Amino acid sequence: MGERGREVLPKGKMALIFLGALLEEATPEEEKRFMAELPLPARLMWRLGGRRAYAKARDRVRQA
């Protein structure tokens, strides 16, 4: 899976992909706490396009 992920994941969005993977497994309380600790620019990036980028990358990896 690691090799497949490196093949299809956009390199410039890896931080957002990792954030999405963390949040996917987090409880709502954990997500709220984690997001509160992120710097404002990171929260904005996540809200503006990170969710979509993560969902697209996740779906591409899981298709294989």
Side-chain angles (χ1 to χ4, degrees):
M1 179 152 157
E3 288 179 34
R4 174 71 177 150
R6 282 190 297 276
E7 291 172 5
V8 300
L9 295 177
K11 298 205 183 343
K13 297 184 180 179
M14 289 302 287
L16 293 173
I17 305 306
F18 287 123
L19 176 57
L22 287 169
L23 295 178
E24 184 174 21
E25 297 299 321
T27 66
E29 295 81 20
E30 290 170 333
E31 179 177 350
K32 183 178 179 182
R33 191 173 51 220
F34 187 80
M35 293 300 289
E37 295 292 324
L38 285 178
L40 180 60
R43 288 194 310 260
L44 289 173
M45 285 178 56
W46 177 250
R47 290 187 176 118
L48 293 174
R51 290 177 207 261
R52 286 187 302 275
Y54 172 68
K56 185 176 179 180
R58 176 199 61 212
D59 294 347
R60 288 172 66 193
V61 169
R62 291 180 182 171
Q63 274 181 333

